[in-house]
Amino acid sequence: MIQQLINRYKRMRTERYLNEIHSCQYAFIGMGQHSLTNLYPVLHYLQVPLKYICVTSERKSRLIERKFKGIRATTSLDDILNDQDVKGVLVAASPNVHFTLASRVLQSGKSLFIEKPPCQSVAQLRELIAMQQSSGSRVAMVGLQQRYAPAVQILKKRLKGQRLLNYDLHYLTGAYPEGDALLDLYIHPIDLATWLFGKAEIVSYLEIDQQSCILMLRHQHIIGTIELSTCHSWQDAHQSLTVHTSSGTYHLNQCNELSFVPKQPVIAGIPTEKLLPRRPTVEYLYRHDGFSPTLAGSTIYTQGFFQEITTFINAVEGKRANILTDLQFIEPTLQLIDELMANRQFG
């Protein structure tokens, strides 16, 4: 009987995957390392009908058609925008051309998924929002995948309704000479803060050197500090978040582990842990051990890439989709970045 139930569950799981058929066609602009590592594998797993890949190099175009059978490689964006069969376009190109590419895709009326940053300022973001509204584009999403990460989702639900005290967020990497660290890298921790705690104002920031700074942000219900630095190591790069609440402390390590340590009770102003010392209880709310070779155990899934792409595809095809990174939803993040870019000296 137990074996029959196991076999039935496995069969249902397989059939559910096989029944997920996509009715629209799509195009992808860009083929960098990030796309190949984090985005294309999701499209392949979902068996999304990718009709075009657009790149700037004729040589790369020929290599793509040899590598990806059945996909047309092109160096002309017009080929994609003029094809009425293409309903959604995914963009992961150089950040400095994202605004131009996003503008053209939205003006064509096609749905857009664009990697961060979608543009260089709040003013440009508002232009994109206006284009989406005037063109009737169904979807316009930004690739800020941490909002879709399972651990972040759990943390956001747990924080709802709690009395928040303060938080510390650290984002430390190695040198980043190939782009703008603020727009390309720091947008992630800044967006995580605005997503979890809401719109914020900069209370102060301290520039340690040209590669590092510390911010203090005030949200409606919490104050926090964020350390941003590219003077560490890529081999030991990490992001960590500690949130103190009246009921205890949450700790998010990367997006791989989320734990909670309950606050010890206080009786008549006396902390009971001083009278009856005991080990603090650690509750693991999410933990990626890397043991099981499953989809849910992959980095693409734990970091949120899988769910964000799935959400985009479902939204384009009119299926149920909980969009967390609509253009309008990321304005608080771009406002903080605008402020930092106007005053910063750090890189």
Side-chain angles (χ1 to χ4, degrees), residues 96-342:
N96 61 331
V97 298
H98 275 183
F99 174 72
T100 300
L101 293 173
S103 299
R104 294 199 61 192
V105 171
L106 290 175
Q107 288 168 347
S108 74
K110 299 184 186 301
S111 291
L112 170 71
F113 172 88
I114 186 159
E115 262 300 334
K116 52 75 191 170
C119 52
Q120 304 291 310
S121 65
V122 171
Q124 287 186 342
L125 179 68
R126 289 171 179 168
E127 286 185 51
L128 293 178
I129 294 171
M131 290 176 197
Q132 179 192 7
Q133 294 171 344
S134 62
S135 68
S137 175
R138 180 191 289 272
V139 187
M141 279 178 56
V142 180
L144 289 164
Q145 79 283 346
Q146 288 189 4
R147 295 191 183 197
Y148 296 91
V152 174
Q153 289 285 298
I154 294 170
L155 177 59
K156 187 170 178 66
K157 290 179 182 177
R158 290 285 297 241
L159 294 178
K160 188 176 181 180
Q162 291 202 32
R163 186 163 70 87
L164 307 178
L165 302 177
N166 58 75
Y167 70 85
D168 296 292
L169 176 55
H170 302 271
Y171 186 90
L172 312 176
T173 73
Y176 187 70
E178 64 265 41
D180 187 326
L182 178 55
L183 278 167
D184 299 352
L185 301 180
Y186 299 159
I187 189 173
H188 283 298
I190 292 173
D191 184 71
L192 180 62
T194 60
W195 169 241
L196 289 174
F197 309 116
K199 186 176 179 180
E201 63 173 314
I202 299 175
V203 176
S204 66
Y205 73 89
L206 172 65
E207 295 171 0
I208 301 173
D209 52 37
Q210 290 189 345
Q211 286 76 44
S212 308
C213 80
I214 296 177
L215 309 176
M216 177 175 284
L217 301 182
R218 178 184 287 114
H219 306 261
Q220 184 177 3
H221 299 294
I222 192 171
I223 290 179
T225 58
I226 303 180
E227 179 186 9
L228 305 171
S229 179
T230 57
C231 67
H232 292 264
S233 165
W234 281 105
Q235 292 184 349
D236 192 34
H238 78 276
Q239 174 180 287
S240 63
L241 170 65
T242 301
V243 185
H244 300 282
T245 73
S246 59
S247 60
T249 300
Y250 293 90
H251 183 72
L252 177 67
N253 181 22
Q254 314 285 46
C255 289
N256 297 327
E257 183 178 284
L258 174 64
S259 61
F260 175 68
V261 179
K263 187 176 180 179
Q264 297 295 321
V266 175
I267 300 176
I270 302 173
T272 57
E273 59 189 323
K274 284 193 172 184
L275 301 176
L276 300 170
R278 58 183 177 179
R279 290 184 178 181
T281 302
V282 180
E283 179 184 359
Y284 288 98
L285 305 175
Y286 182 85
R287 208 172 188 182
H288 171 228
D289 57 15
F291 178 77
S292 300
T294 61
L295 172 63
S298 69
T299 303
I300 290 176
Y301 191 90
T302 59
Q303 298 299 312
F305 294 109
F306 182 86
Q307 193 55 45
E308 74 170 357
I309 296 297
T310 302
T311 297
F312 175 70
I313 301 301
N314 287 342
V316 172
E317 301 190 2
K319 300 175 184 177
R320 184 177 179 181
N322 184 21
I323 298 176
L324 308 177
T325 52
D326 185 274
L327 288 174
Q328 298 182 61
F329 298 165
I330 69 162
E331 187 166 326
T333 298
L334 265 292
Q335 285 177 336
L336 284 178
I337 290 177
D338 262 9
E339 232 182 297
L340 290 173
M341 291 184 73

Side-chain angles (χ1 to χ4, degrees), residues 28-40:
F28 202 110
I29 301 174
M31 179 158 280
Q33 190 58 48
H34 170 68
S35 305
L36 290 171
T37 303
N38 300 313
L39 305 182
Y40 280 105

